[in-house]
Amino acid sequence: MAVRLRPAFWLIFDQAGSVLNIFAADNTDRDVAGFTFPASWLQAVNPILIIIGAPLFALLWLRLGHRVSTPGEFAVGLILNGLSFVLMAAAVQAAVGGDLVSPWWLVAVYAIQVAGELSLSPVGLSATTKLAPVKYASQMMGLWFLATAVGDAIGGQVARLADTWPAPTYFLTFGLASAALGLGAAMFGRHIRALMVGIH
């Protein structure tokens, strides 16, 4: 499950460097006390939030223990990833007509995506190492990272649609699709847990 759902997650997540960065450059008010900071500076939000959020999420998962399963955490990651694009649909709607919107829109989008990443990526990495047969552990780890590459490759092609589709439609379509995939993963969570044979 981890490897199969991973491309869908990164397809959206890694558009931060393309579609979202273009929005930052063209549609956000980046003026602070007369200084216009580069749109690329907003790319630092993700790693900063990862550094801040990683220990907090580690503590959260420890506190929750087995009350939230690995499939459940995956579902949360996909749903949050989808909600980030739903929020982007609202941001681009606010920018219709050439208005510049606050960069806090993008900060909020990145914050939701980071919460999704911290729900899915480290958890999936751990599950992959635990579930893989010992003699195939290296191959499964390779597939895990290959899934990221597949998601990025598909996302790069999908990003072309942002030039032809209305912006709200673009973000809503992929945002709702990711959320729906997350809900689907949640529905099958009990069956997946049974297949995991007690591994958490």
Side-chain angles (χ1 to χ4, degrees):
M1 180 194 75
V3 172
R4 291 177 181 176
L5 294 179
R6 191 166 166 84
F9 179 87
W10 294 103
L11 182 155
I12 287 178
F13 187 93
D14 280 342
Q15 290 191 39
S18 57
V19 176
L20 300 192
N21 200 45
I22 291 170
F23 179 83
D26 296 343
N27 300 105
T28 60
D29 180 6
R30 293 174 282 110
D31 185 78
V32 178
F35 170 70
T36 301
F37 65 87
S40 59
W41 282 17
L42 287 167
Q43 294 295 299
V45 173
N46 178 288
I48 290 170
L49 291 179
I50 287 288
I51 292 169
I52 295 171
L56 298 177
F57 269 77
L59 180 62
L60 173 65
W61 299 137
L62 286 173
R63 286 285 183 88
L64 290 174
H66 298 326
R67 283 175 285 180
V68 179
S69 66
T70 297
E73 291 165 341
F74 255 79
V76 168
L78 286 165
I79 291 170
L80 288 174
N81 209 34
L83 291 178
S84 74
F85 259 36
V86 172
L87 182 60
M88 268 307 301
V92 297
Q93 190 64 44
V96 167
D99 292 336
L100 296 180
V101 301
S102 170
W104 288 108
W105 281 99
L106 282 172
V107 172
V109 166
Y110 292 144
I112 295 171
Q113 289 186 343
V114 164
E117 181 184 8
L118 291 173
S119 299
L120 180 145
S121 194
V123 172
L125 190 61
S126 173
T128 299
T129 58
K130 292 176 181 176
L131 290 170
V134 175
K135 63 180 179 179
Y136 295 121
S138 298
Q139 290 89 333
M140 290 306 299
M141 289 301 298
L143 283 175
W144 171 259
F145 290 107
L146 180 61
T148 302
V150 169
D152 286 346
I154 296 172
Q157 299 305 311
V158 164
R160 295 181 181 185
L161 297 175
D163 294 329
T164 55
W165 289 12
T169 301
Y170 176 83
F171 288 111
L172 271 179
T173 298
F174 292 103
L176 293 176
S178 180
L181 191 59
L183 289 173
M187 289 174 59
F188 289 99
R190 182 174 297 179
H191 176 67
I192 295 170
R193 285 199 305 272
L195 294 174
M196 291 174 67
V197 196
I199 292 175
H200 300 283

